[in-house]
Amino acid sequence: MILISKQHLLTYIYLLLYITLSSAVILYNKWFLSTRYFNFPYPITLTMIHMGFSGAFAFFLIRVLKVVSPIKMTFKIYMTCVVPISAFFASSLWFGNTAYLYISVAFIQMLKALMPVATFLVAVFCGTDVLRCDVFLNMVLISVGVAVSSYGEIHFNMTGTVYQVMGIVAEALRLVLTQVLLQKKGLTLNPITTLYYIAPCSFVFLFIPWYILENPAIEVSQIEFNFWIFFSNALAALALNISTFLVIGRTGAVTIRVAGVMKDWILIALSTVLFPESLITGLNITGYAIALCGVVVYNYLKMRDARASQLPSVIIPDKAVQELKMEKSYDLYTPDDIDKDSIAGRSGWNTCVPDSRIDEEAPLIPSLKSHLGKN
């Protein structure tokens, strides 16, 4: 009994650590990129720093300290699996971080409620999920809530909104590709090996838009480089990514989604205090509340299907069992639903997890459970 209590306490500590780090990384990135504060308006550069730092960290652990061993990665698997996943991952981080330049943290969190909608539609399009009436109506409810929230946004900016939505779509594509490409090949990556393979490839993809869009501006700018600020930002994003996997390992996708909802409300409140220009209206809150109701129902449906899939197969027809397994297999989570709270700093690095929101914010790389198709 004492052991169970200690385990529960440790789980709560991990959840608190995840919520704290995810919120901190998102706010840190906003302060870092905003022209009103630190004034480093180069989101691609910031994301590349996070990717480079994370890749170097993973390389050091695998090749120098030999904490874990690299998996057997053939050239064909790397080109057909890692490269496309890294491309969408890099895109989601790039677009998500760029949104901070135009819209508030509070509004970004409200838009992230669209993550389940994007993931479901992409999964249906790719054939990894089936179109169900209950889930579809739930997606409509979420979309209506986000639309109402957007209508009530005082400082609505179309450019920032488009960037954030593009980031959400890219993250959804990454999640589904992770299932289709990696899981079907039986390739399992732990957090460190995922960083080891994904981060360098994402860095290369980001180099092209960086060279065209940001490099000329950086060369003529007079931004003062502060090593400790850049280092602490990258370190915070990395810590967020690690905490995300600690939580995933002890709980599951549904628990993390619930924690993500709590984090979103905390972030919305904190952002209005720390960034006075980030104003929210009653219509904002009403729309977001409607969207959250849809998210809660969505999580309930996923949890119900997961439990049903664990019932003896003799009770459920074979066809129904297969549909339930398909439904469960696509249920991939990402930090910063994404928040995508990922290591790259959207919400953090938020690779695979979330937003997920490189998230945010935190969450970046696909978790081991995501690769195995488990919740």
Side-chain angles (χ1 to χ4, degrees), residues 98-342:
T98 303
Y100 286 117
L101 298 177
Y102 303 97
I103 54 181
S104 67
V105 171
F107 188 46
I108 286 176
Q109 298 309 119
M110 295 176 188
L111 289 175
K112 285 179 181 178
L114 287 172
M115 190 65 211
V117 179
T119 306
F120 175 72
L121 293 179
V122 172
V124 170
F125 180 79
C126 294
T128 60
D129 200 0
V130 293
L131 187 61
R132 295 165 38 188
C133 182
D134 55 349
V135 178
F136 178 76
L137 292 176
N138 192 241
M139 299 299 102
V140 173
L141 178 63
I142 296 175
S143 301
V144 169
V146 173
V148 172
S149 180
S150 301
Y151 183 78
E153 176 66 14
I154 296 178
H155 303 296
F156 181 83
N157 183 285
M158 180 58 72
T159 301
T161 302
V162 170
Y163 268 116
Q164 183 59 40
V165 172
M166 289 171 61
I168 291 173
V169 173
E171 179 67 7
L173 287 167
R174 181 192 64 79
L175 290 176
V176 175
L177 277 179
T178 297
Q179 177 200 352
V180 173
L181 299 180
L182 292 183
Q183 288 180 210
K184 287 188 176 180
K185 293 182 180 294
L187 188 64
T188 58
L189 302 175
N190 60 45
I192 303 303
T193 53
T194 302
L195 284 173
Y196 181 77
Y197 291 109
I198 298 292
C201 189
S202 297
F203 182 94
V204 173
F205 273 107
L206 290 168
F207 179 82
I208 299 175
W210 172 82
Y211 186 80
I212 298 175
L213 301 175
E214 293 188 0
N215 182 53
I218 293 178
E219 289 180 348
V220 300
S221 66
Q222 297 181 349
I223 295 178
E224 181 179 353
F225 180 81
N226 188 313
F227 171 80
W228 293 110
I229 290 181
F230 280 83
F231 176 76
S232 62
N233 182 270
L235 187 63
L238 180 61
L240 168 62
N241 190 67
I242 294 174
S243 71
T244 300
F245 290 110
L246 289 175
V247 173
I248 291 175
R250 299 194 66 87
T251 58
V254 173
T255 302
I256 297 177
R257 288 194 184 101
V258 174
V261 171
M262 296 175 57
K263 180 204 66 178
D264 289 344
W265 283 109
I266 293 173
L267 270 173
I268 291 173
L270 284 177
S271 65
T272 58
V273 175
L274 298 177
F275 306 112
E277 72 279 5
S278 180
L279 300 176
I280 57 176
T281 65
L283 202 55
N284 278 143
I285 297 299
T286 301
Y288 187 54
I290 294 174
L292 279 186
C293 288
V295 172
V296 171
V297 174
Y298 172 79
N299 289 336
Y300 167 76
L301 293 175
K302 303 301 293 183
M303 185 170 57
R304 184 195 64 183
D305 292 342
R307 289 177 177 175
S309 65
Q310 295 174 0
L311 294 176
S313 58
V314 295
I315 299 178
I316 307 176
D318 291 341
K319 183 178 180 181
V321 172
Q322 293 300 321
E323 291 179 352
L324 289 172
K325 287 183 178 180
M326 182 181 300
E327 170 67 15
K328 183 179 179 182
S329 67
Y330 114 88
D331 186 15
L332 306 177
Y333 176 74
T334 323
D336 125 101
D337 261 341
I338 115 188
D339 230 17
K340 300 155 223 160
D341 293 334
S342 56

Side-chain angles (χ1 to χ4, degrees), residues 3-68:
L3 179 61
I4 295 177
S5 299
K6 288 183 178 179
Q7 293 300 320
H8 287 171
L9 177 61
L10 192 57
T11 299
Y12 293 138
I13 292 175
Y14 285 164
L15 284 170
L16 179 61
L17 183 64
Y18 161 71
I19 293 174
T20 302
L21 286 174
S22 180
S23 301
V25 170
I26 293 173
L27 295 173
Y28 199 169
N29 286 339
K30 174 63 176 180
W31 175 84
F32 197 94
L33 294 168
S34 177
T35 55
R36 291 173 174 261
Y37 301 99
F38 185 72
N39 191 23
F40 187 80
Y42 304 107
I44 305 178
T45 304
L46 178 63
T47 306
M48 290 179 67
I49 291 174
H50 290 160
M51 292 294 95
F53 183 82
S54 300
F57 174 79
F59 180 87
F60 181 76
L61 291 181
I62 292 177
R63 295 300 183 181
V64 180
L65 298 182
K66 300 186 183 300
V67 175
V68 295

